[in-house]
Amino acid sequence: MFVYALRRILYTIPIAIGVSLVCFALIHLAPGDPLSSVIPEGASAEMIAQIRTAYGFDRPLPVQYLKWLGHVVTGDFGTSIMTRRPVLAEVLPAVLNTLTLASAAVLFGFALGCLFGVISGYVAGTPTDRSVAAFSITGVSIPHYWLGMVLIVIFAVNLNVLPATGMGEGGSGSFGFNWDSLQYLILPALTLSVIPAGIIARAVRGTVAEVRKQDFMQTLYAKGLPGRRVFVHVVKNALPAVLAVMGLQLAQLLGGSILVETVFAWPGTGFLLNNAIFTRDLPMLQGTILVLAMFFVLINLLVDILQTAVDPRIKRA
Amino acid sequence: MSQTSIAVAGLGAPLKGKRPVTRSFWQNVFRRLTRDPVTMICLAILVLIIIAAVFAPLIAPHDPYRTSMARRLIAPGDARYWLGTDELGRDLLSRLIYGGRLSLFTGFTPVLLATVIGGTLGIIAGYLGGAINMAIMRVIDIFYAFPSVLLAVAISGVLGAGIGNTILSLTLVFIPPVARVAESVATQIRAQDFVEAARATGAANWRIVSSHVVPNVTGPILSYASSLISVSIVLASGLSFLGLGITPPEPEWGLMLNTLRQSIYVAPLNAVMPGVMIFITSMCFNLMSDGLRSAMDVKQ
């Protein structure tokens, strides 16, 4: 177990380096000069050369990469071209907001997915089972950014019971656990939850049906255990796999919330990315992508190690 | 199977004139698919949408590009503009019909490209193994370490809007998962006895790959790739929705949703219309992919 965890952690290092390399390369893939938004119009050649030197863009690429990596490792992600503030200072609060949204969405999705998944796992092959399957296919097929618009039309425009966009009065970025803040979270979280709900429902259904087919189930019923006590055994056996799916979904949503954040003007990383792209604020773009990708790598690592720790049946080489 | 062999097998009287039907795996899959009502209904809907898109100039009642300030945001149910008009007074029905062209093209092409490229990479890595496997799969792992939506947005955001860049970024997103499926199946096939036997008889690598590995890997890859089409359509339209995909004034469902979003309080019905098309298309592809998967499930 410890050997596996150690190996898995060590294996993450080259992946993390690769990810940073991709983030670095992204900027140099950009058509045109990456400094085009900094250099004022009609600047002299001398001035352009000066700016290039100031940003270190006159060095060879490998040197630039190593220098950049050195800064990143010490927490210096550069300065936003638009706001002139350190990138990290902008990204971290946004990551927190996205994490709030994504966690709420995964919890919603987990509750819905488990409910539907357990029901259909118990009645595999019946019409109920098929309608749950239809539900989970709907969850993964629906363009969630569109669902967000539909929910705004229903709950904010027609019924007028929930706010349409933003994260609080006056667009404040601080989130608290009271109705004033939570009412802003409901619609975006619900919108974002349809994908994990569909995927978790499918995973739970599969695992529950699988567990119920095993021989020890017969034994439990044969020795006279009531259904609800058998259910505890089903849950115990199905949980590790389902928790892993949930963890991976949380990781996917961290990077996948950009569309929903745009619809609901949620001040998270997606919102930040969108702004950075359209103002061609490349350090900002690079920083946000790197932070999100690193979160993704870390969560994947945690899920893998936790799953191995929780479920002794998983023996990894 | 001939009649004589059955007679020899001791089944009693030889079957009269009727040969027992033997079908190949793919013939069986096809038979099951054509008998699955859900798959056939979805196919019919998709064929309708595709025909409408291909013959759009003949079918569309109005010019999808002609704007008019006088007839902006007419509500659906109008006698002349059945589904209403958009924020620039263009006929929505015509734009939805034309929109299928770009939406389907940008949704389908990346999956096709990723299947070919990712499949090839995966087969090479899985069949050759060793250092080549290491080299290919570790690079794939790096791209796999990005959340898919983030990677698509990042690449499109950096390269800029446009059909080519959308297809390129989505292809890059889909190559890693396809390659992983292909690699794991190819690695299993490589260890099978019949591959060993083929090698023992002196078959060259390319022959083993083309006659043993590829036919066995095709099923899992196709089954997986079919499930990506729906994701790809939603994502491609999503990129246009963000303003990173198709550029105005082209009719495309995601882009239409983006521009109509401003009118959501004024004309909510018009604003959500393009999303219905994305939803129907993506749902049909997903249900068909599910049908294909269960049709290919031999255990049934």
Side-chain angles (χ1 to χ4, degrees):
Chain A
M1 166 64 216
F2 285 106
V3 178
Y4 170 73
L6 196 69
R7 280 179 50 156
R8 185 66 181 76
I9 292 170
L10 283 181
Y11 178 64
T12 304
I13 296 171
I15 293 286
I17 293 175
V19 165
S20 75
L21 205 57
V22 172
C23 288
F24 177 77
L26 267 181
I27 301 309
H28 293 272
L29 274 177
D33 195 324
L35 288 176
S36 55
S37 52
V38 193
I39 297 170
E41 257 192 63
S44 66
E46 202 177 318
M47 198 169 156
I48 293 175
Q50 237 174 34
I51 296 174
R52 296 190 75 82
T53 319
Y55 277 83
F57 275 55
D58 55 336
R59 309 277 196 82
L61 281 181
V63 176
Q64 281 189 43
Y65 170 68
L66 287 178
K67 254 189 93 152
W68 174 75
L69 192 64
H71 285 300
V72 164
V73 170
T74 55
D76 175 12
F77 282 63
T79 314
S80 160
I81 293 177
M82 283 303 138
T83 60
R84 307 238 168 250
R85 290 180 56 205
V87 168
L88 205 60
E90 302 259 347
V91 173
L92 285 184
V95 167
L96 206 65
N97 289 346
T98 298
L99 208 57
T100 312
L101 177 59
S103 313
V106 168
L107 284 180
F108 263 146
F110 184 67
L112 277 178
C114 283
L115 180 69
F116 285 124
V118 168
I119 292 175
S120 77
Y122 259 82
V123 295
T126 63
T128 318
D129 178 30
R130 272 190 286 278
S131 47
V132 171
F135 162 81
S136 73
I137 290 183
T138 311
V140 287
S141 311
I142 202 164
H144 51 286
Y145 39 95
W146 171 73
L147 178 68
M149 288 172 62
V150 173
L151 289 181
I152 289 181
V153 169
I154 296 175
F155 290 100
V157 181
N158 287 346
L159 299 179
N160 198 18
V161 286
L162 288 168
T165 56
M167 199 181 164
E169 288 295 328
S172 74
S174 59
F175 191 83
F177 281 95
N178 47 49
W179 175 242
D180 280 345
S181 290
L182 283 178
Q183 60 175 348
Y184 284 92
L185 183 63
I186 294 176
L187 287 186
L190 199 63
T191 306
L192 202 55
S193 75
V194 292
I195 303 170
I199 291 174
I200 291 172
R202 197 181 272 196
V204 171
R205 183 208 177 272
T207 333
V208 167
E210 198 64 34
V211 172
R212 277 174 48 83
K213 260 190 246 154
Q214 289 182 20
D215 291 340
F216 76 90
M217 280 289 135
Q218 294 290 323
T219 316
L220 292 180
Y221 281 116
K223 74 175 188 183
L225 218 58
R228 63 193 157 77
R229 299 269 305 277
V230 177
F231 180 66
V232 175
H233 286 269
V234 174
V235 170
K236 268 189 181 165
N237 278 277
L239 208 56
V242 174
L243 282 181
V245 174
M246 183 174 152
L248 297 180
Q249 281 306 307
L250 178 68
Q252 277 286 351
L253 288 193
L254 274 184
S257 62
I258 174 165
L259 285 153
V260 170
E261 286 183 15
T262 309
V263 174
F264 289 97
W266 185 263
T269 47
F271 204 58
L272 217 57
L273 266 182
N274 215 0
N275 275 339
I277 288 170
F278 288 104
T279 53
R280 294 213 70 72
D281 189 344
L282 292 176
M284 196 70 186
L285 185 62
Q286 197 176 32
T288 317
I289 294 170
L290 184 62
V291 170
L292 284 178
M294 286 301 164
F295 256 101
F296 189 67
V297 171
L298 266 181
I299 293 180
N300 275 327
L301 172 70
L302 277 179
V303 167
D304 252 19
I305 293 180
L306 279 181
Q307 203 190 4
T308 324
V310 170
D311 193 346
R313 288 172 302 182
I314 300 176
K315 287 234 166 56
R316 295 183 208 252
Chain B
M1 204 64 46
S2 68
Q3 294 169 19
T4 41
S5 71
I6 286 176
V8 168
L11 275 178
L15 298 166
K16 271 177 235 148
K18 218 179 180 186
R19 275 167 42 140
V21 198
T22 51
R23 297 188 200 89
S24 77
F25 171 69
W26 288 108
Q27 280 170 332
N28 265 324
V29 169
F30 184 74
R31 248 172 83 89
R32 288 202 200 116
L33 273 182
T34 47
R35 286 166 188 210
D36 177 27
V38 177
T39 307
M40 285 299 111
I41 293 171
C42 289
L43 185 68
I45 297 174
L46 284 176
V47 166
L48 265 179
I49 295 177
I50 293 170
I51 288 178
V54 170
F55 297 104
L58 302 175
I59 295 168
H62 298 277
D63 178 358
Y65 295 100
R66 212 178 68 216
T67 61
S68 157
M69 285 301 130
R71 40 159 217 262
R72 284 164 51 190
L73 294 172
I74 295 175
D78 187 77
R80 227 172 107 69
Y81 304 99
W82 295 345
L83 293 184
T85 55
D86 71 0
E87 77 287 356
L88 295 176
R90 297 171 292 199
D91 178 42
L92 258 181
L93 177 61
S94 306
R95 284 181 74 75
L96 287 178
I97 292 174
Y98 270 92
R101 294 179 155 192
L102 280 172
S103 297
L104 290 171
F105 180 71
T106 50
F108 194 76
T109 318
V111 177
L112 192 68
L113 291 175
T115 306
V116 174
I117 300 171
T120 311
L121 283 175
I123 290 173
I124 293 174
Y127 181 71
L128 294 180
I132 294 172
N133 180 301
M134 270 294 269
I136 294 178
M137 294 319 286
R138 291 305 84 86
V139 174
I140 296 281
D141 277 356
I142 289 170
F143 282 93
Y144 204 68
F146 285 91
S148 45
V149 180
L150 179 68
L151 189 59
V153 168
I155 299 172
S156 301
V158 165
L159 293 179
I163 301 177
N165 288 344
T166 303
I167 290 174
L168 176 68
S169 74
L170 288 178
T171 306
L172 281 174
V173 168
F174 294 135
I175 287 176
V178 175
R180 280 190 154 198
V181 172
E183 191 255 0
S184 80
V185 182
T187 308
Q188 286 167 22
I189 302 293
R190 189 172 80 120
Q192 300 276 318
D193 289 341
F194 62 82
V195 173
E196 198 59 35
R199 212 192 310 271
T201 58
N205 268 340
W206 66 266
R207 176 172 285 282
I208 297 177
V209 168
S210 65
S211 60
H212 291 302
V213 181
V214 171
N216 280 299
V217 174
T218 313
I221 293 184
L222 277 189
S223 153
Y224 182 74
S226 71
S227 75
L228 286 179
I229 299 176
S230 135
V231 181
S232 181
I233 283 176
V234 171
L235 257 184
S237 291
L239 286 177
S240 297
F241 179 71
L242 288 174
L244 296 173
I246 310 298
T247 43
E250 291 318 311
E252 195 273 346
W253 298 333
L255 181 64
M256 289 167 70
L257 208 54
N258 176 22
T259 52
L260 278 165
R261 192 155 62 96
Q262 322 299 334
S263 323
I264 192 170
Y265 297 104
V266 194
L269 263 183
N270 303 36
V272 298
M273 204 93 73
V276 179
M277 293 306 295
I278 306 175
F279 185 28
I280 292 176
T281 320
S282 130
M283 187 86 187
C284 284
F285 272 118
N286 234 330
L287 286 169
M288 281 176 65
S289 158
D290 241 44
L292 179 66
R293 194 172 13 216
S294 45
M296 282 171 58
D297 192 355
V298 207
K299 279 175 280 177
Q300 258 189 352

